[in-house]
Amino acid sequence: MLEIYKFGGSILKNADDIRKIADIIIKDGNKINIFSALHGVTDGLIKIAEYASKKDVKYISEIDSLRDYHLKICSDLGVDNKEIGEILIRVKDISEYLYKEGFYDLSLLDLIVGYGEILSSNIVYLFLAKDSSNIELIDAKNCIRTDSTFTSAKVDFEATSSLCKNLVNIGKINIITGFIASDGEGRPTTLGRNGSDYTAALLGKIFSAGKIVIWKDVDGVFTANPKIVSNAIQISKISYKEMSELSYFGNKVVSLMALSPAISDDIPICIRGLYNITNEGTLISSKTDEEMGIKGITAIEDVSLININSFNILGIGEFLKQVFSAINKANINIIMISQSSSESSISICVRSDEINEAIRVINSEFTKEIRENIISIDVKNNQSIVAVAGFKIANQSGLSGKIFSNLGLANININAISQGLCAMSISFAVDSSALNLCVKLIHNSIFENKCVNCLIIGNGVVGSSVIKMINSQRQYFLEKGIDLRIIGYANSKEVFLPSGESFKYSSYDEIISWFSKEALIHYVLIDCTSSDDLVANYRKFIDHGFNIVTPNKKANTLNFDEFEKLQNCLKVNKKYMFYEANVGAGLPIISTIKDLIDCGDEIVKIEGIFSGTLSYIFNNLSNGVKFSDIVKMAKENGFTEPDPRDDLCGMDVARKLLILARMIGYRINLSDLKIQNLVDATDEQIFEMFDSANKENKTLRYVGLIEDGKASAKIIAVDNDSPLASTKHTDNIISITTKFYNKTPLVIRGAGAGADVTAIGVVSDLIKLANILL
Ligand SMILES: Nc1ncnc2c1ncn2[C@@H]1O[C@H](COP(=O)(O)OP(=O)(O)O)[C@@H](O)[C@H]1O
Ligand SMILES: N[C@@H](CC(=O)OP(=O)(O)O)C(=O)O
């Protein structure tokens, strides 16, 4: 099966690229190979023509760099540079002529610009010809015949077909210049920017190729430009119609012009990546990937919007006819139209370089009406058109809502919208300054809305366990439709990204702006620190779209005013904060209390052992064992904070009590709690308490209590048969008495400390959050 290969400027950057291309051509024995100019060379040649004709000597340095670029590649490839040098002298001669004349027209522009393809093809030919005699170099000026519309010439297919059949020997490996052609008088023409794709498609049609393969620096067609949207998804199959829609709206992967010869003869076009040849690329054909209804988001930059308002004096039909015929006469290309018939107003989008002409013709068409204030015109410059395309666009209910509500949240204004009844696309105009954010947001609201993007700050014991748990359970969560994705994790100085890269930060603002620019849809900050500073920044994170999940107790124990501000901030931004691991690590204490409240139950009393450390200490009290020795043992076993006084002072228990008390509506602060501090408790004092409890068949416990609007914690002697007496090891136990659980309280008991159980608390919050968001 004959295949046409086309190699674009994006993969013609250096000698290595050319070696890779040569390998592919030789390995596949591919017969028809079309080449664009080296990367950036067409732009460079246009600049040379412009400078030289304006008598600007900058053209000389441009010529020099053009020469150096090509000659360096020749020398890197070990190719004799004599011929290339001669071609470069011709380019120099033309530019000197333009300089002398101080003028250029489009035919001269085509003459000079076409040398880009001549140079690149010659280099490739010379390189391949070093090892093979079966290589042919073809200048497409000798076989692609066009009219004389310089810079965008129209092809005479019949003449081209017979010239190509005469000239191209498909027994050989042909290296053919893309983009360039000649008119009936032999004058060089070009097929329009990005025209090499078209050359490839024409040859595909002429030689009834089985496939046209366009080699690129990307692995295929993606759901958005992967250079803008880093998480764009590669499309495996896309229909000609869908691709045409994307190309019309600015997708550069394959030019619109190139699609038509392929469509007419049903020749599949495959987009493949030179740098990843194991990837099969994207197939553009009559078939599409049915499951993927929406294929992508694309944009046309540098457009202007003209709004023409008519105050209904003319009939709407007559008004539109006049507008379009005026614009049509001036040969201006209308890219998008949006009409509001009730007001007889119409918005027309044109390329920015055509806006002045468009305004001029409309002004002259409606001179009288404008003078009489029947018609008014206003113009918005610096616009871009964004389009979402795919075969299911027309019948995707809610799609526009999803797109526009996300743009609304990001304060991006839509200046005009267009969608047909059976359209393959929705297109709309936005300010160019918002373009990249807009494309990312739309992309992510369509393709990434099933994923919760987790930023973990704090990579200590808990943070590391959370990361491990998210990663090891990933598949399990995915099967349940929940995609928890870690987008970064940070210590106090640096953020590490999944790509292996990292960046240092000195303020949380830097982290926020780094991740906000990705414009993902669902963000969550997982605060695994005990930092007050990070908590002080929560509101900024929330304002920028983050939800919060945290085992850090500092946020819920801020002084009440600050705590309320945080709650309001969550409410205003419609974001969530989950904090199961604040109390009892993974034990479902917070969620149970929340559920009870949500059901209308009333919490009368909460009592329990809230500290794993203090639980361990009092569980190990027995005759003949000193309190201070048990504290030492707890420390040796890693059950205490690095400084055990942080546990003994009762502050950790106080925070937990305050968190629960606020949940059930107490408007109190830490200073309102009565907490027994054990830092200075002596062995004798504790033994005395232990002994007298023992004698009364009671057990000593450090118990927290929330009741009657107050919260406190102290050592209590509880009955030996009370649930609080039954704890072991580092257990937490919490007994909740409510309006409904009034005879026998609801009791939750289990391990209340440790990295893994805390991580469970965090991850269970993430799942709850995901179930709300997704
Ligand atoms: N949806 C998309 N999928 C893949 N690439 C895209 C998409 N939209 C824009 N691009 C851009 O198109 C570029 C390739 O086009 P171009 O530079 O014209 O290639 P060439 O010079 O090889 O013809 C890619 O590098 C990529 O940045
Ligand atoms: N070199 C021409 C033709 C072309 O098709 O190039 P590329 O394949 O790099 O888009 C241009 O830049 O317009």
Side-chain angles (χ1 to χ4, degrees):
M1 178 176 75
L2 182 75
E3 295 191 359
I4 313 290
Y5 283 2
K6 179 257 167 173
F7 300 93
S10 67
I11 47 164
L12 288 164
K13 289 186 172 130
N14 50 45
D16 266 354
D17 285 349
I18 292 176
R19 281 193 200 98
K20 281 198 186 83
I21 290 170
D23 280 351
I24 291 173
I25 293 175
I26 297 299
K27 189 172 114 300
D28 297 353
N30 199 63
K31 298 299 185 292
I32 301 187
N33 305 285
I34 314 296
F35 281 83
S36 298
L38 299 188
H39 183 65
V41 165
T42 308
D43 288 337
L45 288 163
I46 293 173
K47 250 195 225 165
I48 290 171
E50 280 172 354
Y51 284 142
S53 59
K54 284 184 190 144
K55 292 197 171 286
D56 184 338
V57 288
K58 277 197 219 117
Y59 86 93
I60 298 174
S61 57
E62 290 289 335
I63 285 270
D64 289 345
S65 55
L66 184 86
R67 191 196 53 230
D68 295 349
Y69 185 22
H70 286 88
L71 294 185
K72 164 128 190 6
I73 292 185
C74 288
S75 102
D76 290 349
L77 288 171
V79 157
D80 179 11
N81 64 21
K82 188 166 159 280
E83 264 160 87
I84 304 301
E86 279 166 11
I87 301 170
L88 285 162
I89 288 172
R90 267 181 265 153
V91 177
K92 195 168 175 225
D93 290 346
I94 300 169
S95 59
E96 278 168 0
Y97 171 79
L98 296 180
Y99 183 77
K100 206 166 80 224
E101 295 293 314
F103 151 88
Y104 78 95
D105 62 14
L106 296 183
S107 71
L108 285 168
L109 184 63
D110 270 356
L111 168 70
I112 189 164
V113 159
Y115 274 98
E117 272 61 19
I118 297 173
L119 284 162
S120 63
S121 303
N122 268 277
I123 294 177
V124 175
Y125 167 76
L126 291 169
F127 182 62
L128 285 168
K130 282 204 304 180
D131 298 321
S132 168
S133 57
N134 197 32
I135 316 290
E136 202 68 34
L137 174 66
I138 294 182
D139 182 335
K141 289 202 291 295
N142 299 324
C143 60
I144 309 268
R145 181 69 65 249
T146 65
D147 67 6
S148 305
T149 320
F150 296 103
T151 71
S152 54
K154 306 284 161 296
V155 170
D156 173 343
F157 185 75
E158 297 309 319
T160 298
S161 180
S162 72
L163 284 168
C164 284
K165 283 180 179 156
N166 274 337
L167 197 65
V168 180
N169 174 356
I170 51 173
K172 294 202 163 205
I173 288 179
N174 296 281
I175 304 301
I176 306 177
T177 55
F179 180 54
I180 61 176
S182 65
D183 69 3
E185 291 169 39
R187 290 177 299 178
T189 57
T190 60
L191 305 177
R193 291 307 305 268
N194 309 107
S196 302
D197 290 354
Y198 185 42
T199 310
L202 281 172
L203 285 154
K205 188 176 165 79
I206 291 165
F207 290 100
S208 305
K211 201 192 269 178
I212 298 159
V213 183
I214 300 186
W215 294 87
K216 294 251 162 202
D217 60 344
V218 281
D219 291 344
V221 184
F222 283 70
T223 45
N225 186 347
K227 287 181 187 149
I228 296 174
V229 180
S230 56
N231 50 346
I233 304 158
Q234 190 184 329
I235 300 163
S236 60
K237 276 188 270 171
I238 182 167
S239 72
Y240 294 125
K241 268 188 150 181
E242 289 169 315
M243 195 64 226
S244 304
E245 203 76 17
L246 285 170
S247 299
Y248 176 83
F249 284 111
N251 182 305
K252 274 181 71 184
V253 180
V254 55
S255 70
L256 190 59
M257 215 168 38
L259 286 166
S260 88
I263 296 173
S264 73
D265 289 23
D266 197 8
I267 307 170
I269 299 179
C270 186
I271 309 295
R272 293 194 60 184
L274 178 71
Y275 306 124
N276 190 8
I277 55 171
T278 52
N279 188 310
E280 287 181 3
T282 299
L283 195 67
I284 307 165
S285 70
S286 48
K287 299 193 186 65
T288 186
D289 177 347
E290 300 264 344
E291 270 175 37
M292 200 178 190
I294 298 172
K295 292 300 186 305
I297 294 102
T298 182
I300 309 180
E301 295 178 57
D302 294 329
V303 299
S304 294
L305 255 186
I306 317 171
N307 297 309
I308 313 164
N309 308 296
S310 143
F311 300 102
N312 245 342
I313 303 290
L314 306 167
I316 180 75
E318 186 56 30
F319 164 63
L320 294 180
K321 197 172 114 195
Q322 271 183 264
V323 171
F324 290 127
S325 81
I327 291 188
N328 192 33
K329 257 190 264 157
N331 238 338
I332 293 166
N333 186 22
I334 297 177
I335 306 170
M336 190 185 90
I337 304 165
S338 154
Q339 187 208 339
S340 146
S341 57
S342 61
E343 295 164 21
S344 306
S345 88
I346 181 164
S347 300
I348 292 171
C349 225
V350 300
R351 282 203 336 250
S352 295
D353 57 3
E354 293 186 329
I355 182 69
N356 288 339
E357 181 60 4
I359 296 169
R360 195 190 61 74
V361 295
I362 292 168
N363 273 330
S364 79
E365 182 71 31
F366 296 110
T367 315
K368 182 167 165 281
E369 290 85 348
I370 292 171
R371 208 177 35 236
E372 290 169 2
N373 288 331
I374 296 169
I375 281 183
S376 70
I377 295 174
D378 57 273
V379 176
K380 260 189 193 303
N381 288 315
N382 301 320
Q383 298 292 293
S384 293
I385 295 179
V386 178
V388 182
F391 77 102
K392 270 194 187 158
I393 292 281
N395 52 9
Q396 282 249 330
S397 61
L399 176 69
S400 311
K402 190 156 53 171
I403 294 173
F404 297 129
S405 67
N406 278 310
L407 294 184
L409 287 175
N411 288 327
I412 297 176
N413 245 359
I414 309 291
N415 300 324
I417 304 178
S418 163
Q419 182 188 11
L421 197 57
C422 25
M424 283 253 195
S425 65
I426 303 177
S427 50
F428 48 90
V430 296
D431 291 350
S432 292
S433 55
L435 177 63
N436 282 1
L437 179 64
C438 175
V439 170
K440 286 181 196 177
L441 264 175
I442 297 174
H443 180 272
N444 294 337
S445 64
I446 295 171
F447 297 104
E448 293 291 333
N449 60 349
K450 290 269 167 280
C451 118
V452 177
N453 298 287
C454 306
L455 166 64
I456 298 153
I457 303 192
N459 64 345
V461 208
V462 175
S464 309
S465 287
V466 169
I467 293 172
K468 225 193 291 162
M469 204 170 283
I470 293 176
N471 286 333
S472 67
Q473 310 275 80
R474 188 166 159 69
Q475 199 49 40
Y476 176 75
F477 297 143
L478 280 174
E479 279 159 22
K480 291 175 172 289
I482 294 173
D483 186 357
L484 293 184
R485 205 172 288 178
I486 297 177
I487 52 169
Y489 68 92
N491 58 28
S492 57
K493 293 186 190 72
E494 198 167 2
V495 180
F496 301 89
L497 304 169
S499 59
E501 291 161 298
S502 67
F503 66 93
K504 294 224 165 33
Y505 71 96
S506 51
S507 78
Y508 292 115
D509 291 342
E510 290 167 29
I511 299 191
I512 292 172
S513 71
W514 176 280
F515 288 102
S516 303
K517 73 179 187 296
E518 291 302 316
L520 299 173
I521 302 303
H522 305 303
Y523 285 104
V524 54
L525 163 66
I526 308 176
D527 170 12
C528 293
T529 70
S530 55
S531 156
D532 292 297
D533 188 30
L534 178 51
V535 166
N537 281 274
Y538 275 9
R539 277 164 32 206
K540 276 192 199 157
F541 275 94
I542 296 164
D543 285 337
H544 285 84
F546 280 83
N547 297 281
I548 311 270
V549 164
T550 184
N552 182 355
K553 297 184 251 318
K554 300 282 172 60
N556 282 320
T557 55
L558 285 165
N559 84 50
F560 202 84
D561 287 349
E562 289 297 306
F563 171 74
E564 261 195 330
K565 279 186 197 154
L566 178 60
Q567 303 306 312
N568 278 335
C569 178
L570 287 162
K571 212 173 182 176
V572 169
N573 287 289
K574 299 198 181 79
K575 297 290 167 222
Y576 300 88
M577 179 161 125
F578 284 94
Y579 45 90
E580 186 63 79
N582 272 193
V583 181
L587 295 178
I589 296 168
I590 304 279
S591 50
T592 304
I593 293 175
K594 184 172 179 309
D595 285 349
L596 292 171
I597 296 169
D598 287 349
C599 294
D601 201 351
E602 268 168 37
I603 314 290
V604 179
K605 174 171 141 184
I606 302 176
E607 187 183 30
I609 295 167
F610 292 88
S611 155
T613 315
L614 295 178
S615 176
Y616 177 86
I617 292 170
F618 284 89
N619 290 341
N620 283 283
L621 268 187
S622 60
N623 258 328
V625 185
K626 279 203 240 157
F627 174 68
S628 55
D629 286 341
I630 306 172
V631 173
K632 261 188 227 144
M633 214 159 69
K635 183 171 182 217
E636 277 160 21
N637 282 314
F639 298 143
T640 67
E641 291 295 320
D643 182 346
R645 284 176 298 188
D646 291 339
D647 297 299
L648 294 173
C649 74
M651 190 43 70
D652 179 58
V653 174
R655 286 190 191 278
K656 291 170 180 165
L657 291 172
L658 180 61
I659 291 164
L660 298 184
R662 283 181 173 173
M663 277 188 80
I664 63 174
Y666 295 11
R667 297 172 66 87
I668 57 175
N669 280 310
L670 264 182
S671 55
D672 298 320
L673 272 71
K674 271 207 181 125
I675 302 295
Q676 184 175 5
N677 183 336
L678 304 184
V679 170
D680 297 326
T682 62
D683 289 344
E684 292 69 30
Q685 285 167 337
I686 299 288
F687 179 74
E688 216 171 279
M689 290 169 85
F690 169 78
D691 195 42
S692 66
N694 219 3
K695 284 181 186 139
E696 292 173 40
N697 281 334
K698 290 190 171 179
T699 306
L700 272 199
R701 290 290 183 253
Y702 189 83
V703 177
L705 176 70
I706 304 169
E707 195 175 22
D708 294 334
K710 294 191 197 96
S712 60
K714 60 182 177 194
I715 300 173
I716 292 181
V718 299
D719 289 340
N720 281 349
D721 57 0
S722 133
L724 297 191
S726 68
T727 51
K728 296 200 169 54
H729 202 55
T730 58
D731 285 357
N732 278 192
I733 183 163
I734 280 89
S735 142
I736 308 166
T737 308
T738 74
K739 189 170 76 182
F740 298 124
Y741 286 96
N742 56 8
K743 294 212 169 63
T744 309
L746 190 159
V747 174
I748 301 168
R749 174 185 162 172
D756 283 349
V757 284
T758 307
I760 289 246
V762 172
V763 175
S764 74
D765 278 348
L766 288 172
I767 300 297
K768 280 186 211 109
L769 178 67
N771 282 328
I772 295 174
L773 298 178
L774 304 182

